[in-house]
Amino acid sequence: FAASASSQVVAFSDRQLNPLIHIYTFPELRKLTELKGSDVLDYTLLALSFKGPYLASYSSIPEFVLSVWNWQENILLCSESQPGLTGTSLSFNPMNWQQLCFVAESSVTIWCIEKSKDEHLLTRHPVELPDEQGVMTAHEDLFFPTSRKDDPYYGPDLPISAIAGLEGDEAETFVVVTDFFPFYLHPTAHCWTAASEIYMGCKEGFVLAIDAEPHVDLYFSAQEGILIFYHIKDLQYEIKICADISQPISSLMFSPDYTSLLLVTDQVQHLRQQHYIMGCSWDSATSMACSPSSKSVAVGTQRGQIYFLDVTKAEAPRVVHRTFLSKLPVLSLQ
């Protein structure tokens, strides 16, 4: 079930084989249209955009497909499969319908809807979550195995995917199962702010602030052997000098996971791009709401309390008020 106050419509799906998604006006409850996907057993998540006639859906076993629709024209714009991933919540950025926040039990993904004329494409931007203590885990190279430079008998280091004999897209996205980290935080509730940030409550009692705005990072090498980094956001940019090799750089190349940059000299510069995250801790969060006109957040908890936070300084959120409603969890805040 999903609702849009700006469009005054509600959407819901059938609980049956090959379900339909029904769109009705509210409060008149006049049927506008119905959407039909292909080979879907059940829809588990629906979300309506604040701006425009757009709806996002997520199906469960066996497809696990995220889809974006234009419900006014009854058109499926794009879809992307996430095999085996069970979603817990889904929402559009109220300021930008081309951004979606998809939350699973222990992962968060920002999906961007790229558009060129009538073509639409979903692109995935995973968010790195802290561990259960609220600490960011140091990055490990999931593409290349541990270096064996101390013993050249075995030859050069090869990507794990090459050792496995994979080719094409599979080679670039392959990750050994044992390399996944199972001790991330577990998101339970989230909301968007007017500045396109996401506040995320977690089972462990943390609240995360996630910057979902797209940034463009450009690396440029000058003839003098200087590696220059351009960080571009909207119409503003920032320039930094990353490295001075003191010899000409003929070319640059990223690793498939975009965490390492190879300079065609004798050096490799490791560069990381990650979402901005802050945290604070208390009782387990069950619901959240943001004020579009002020930098404040309301957090409902498992123990029936509501915390009101001042997030003027994102790195140091401050509790300004707390109230107790009941002994039951606060499941919804508006």
Side-chain angles (χ1 to χ4, degrees), residues 88-89 102-108 129 184-190 200-204 206 208 210 285:
T88 57
S89 61
F102 177 87
V103 181
E105 183 180 356
S106 58
S107 66
V108 178
L129 296 179
Y184 287 139
L185 295 177
H186 297 83
T188 54
H190 77 275
M200 186 80 58
C202 301
K203 179 181 178 181
E204 292 77 8
F206 288 89
L208 309 179
I210 303 171

Side-chain angles (χ1 to χ4, degrees), residues 309-327:
L309 308 181
D310 175 11
V311 290
T312 303
K313 294 183 179 180
E315 68 279 3
R318 183 171 61 93
V319 177
V320 295
H321 184 64
R322 181 181 66 180
T323 184
F324 176 76
L325 294 184
S326 71
K327 295 182 179 180

